[in-house]
Amino acid sequence: MTRTLKTSVAEMVEAARARIEEIETPDAIEMLGDPEVVIVDLRDIRERERMGYIPGSFHCPRGMAEFWVDPDSPYFKDIFAKDKKFVFHCASGWRSALTVATLNDMGFPAAHLKEGFGTWEKQGGPVVYPETDRTK
Ligand SMILES: O=S(=O)([O-])[S-]
């Protein structure tokens, strides 16, 4: 059976991208080390371990994002109370586009890394490779 959906994920991502702040990779690389910027990694922990991660990035599994930014949620994380610029990223910018659109709808200001981690590494962004992955 082929199910017909009301909208495709590609349409959802496109609509999200049209209304959120997108940050190009070179600009994000320049932001690295800025104490006013927090880079938030939405990828699965296994992707982080396998592919490496942006130095200093904060890991927030995509499934928890709404709960971690909401001060009224029992899962709230203090880091999101800080008056910083939050830049969310995933692998290719799809998950982060959807997440940031939702967070913006909640009233939480955030931007996303337009092309994600793959482009980050290709364009020379520094990467931390977890010890465990080096031996695999
Ligand atoms: O991380 S993703 O943009 O490939 S869904």
Side-chain angles (χ1 to χ4, degrees):
M1 178 187 120
T2 303
R3 190 181 303 279
T4 304
L5 301 174
K6 280 195 279 185
T7 184
S8 69
V9 72
E11 288 169 334
M12 288 176 65
V13 169
E14 190 183 328
R17 291 181 59 186
R19 65 187 179 94
I20 63 174
E21 182 187 357
E22 299 197 288
I23 296 179
E24 300 286 347
T25 302
D27 296 332
I29 292 171
E30 266 184 37
M31 289 174 161
L32 202 62
D34 182 336
E36 296 309 310
V37 174
V38 177
I39 300 200
V40 183
D41 186 351
L42 291 167
R43 295 173 303 158
D44 185 88
I45 189 71
R46 286 160 298 198
E47 291 174 270
R48 225 172 125 84
E49 286 170 3
R50 221 179 300 129
M51 313 295 288
Y53 58 87
I54 297 173
S57 59
F58 177 75
H59 181 234
C60 169
R62 185 191 172 205
M64 293 310 293
E66 295 87 343
F67 300 92
W68 285 13
V69 306
D70 182 351
D72 293 330
S73 156
Y75 302 110
F76 176 67
K77 294 281 183 201
D78 285 344
I79 190 168
F80 293 112
K82 294 185 176 167
D83 187 20
K84 306 272 183 189
K85 181 172 186 70
F86 291 92
V87 179
F88 286 72
H89 85 86
C90 59
S92 305
W94 287 40
R95 283 173 287 183
S96 58
L98 295 178
T99 302
V100 166
T102 301
L103 299 186
N104 287 177
D105 287 346
M106 293 171 72
F108 185 86
H112 90 133
L113 179 59
K114 186 177 174 185
E115 295 182 302
F117 185 75
T119 304
W120 171 274
E121 195 168 16
K122 282 188 196 125
Q123 294 194 19
V127 175
V128 175
Y129 297 100
E131 200 76 32
T132 51
D133 275 4
R134 284 286 178 216
T135 58
K136 287 180 186 167

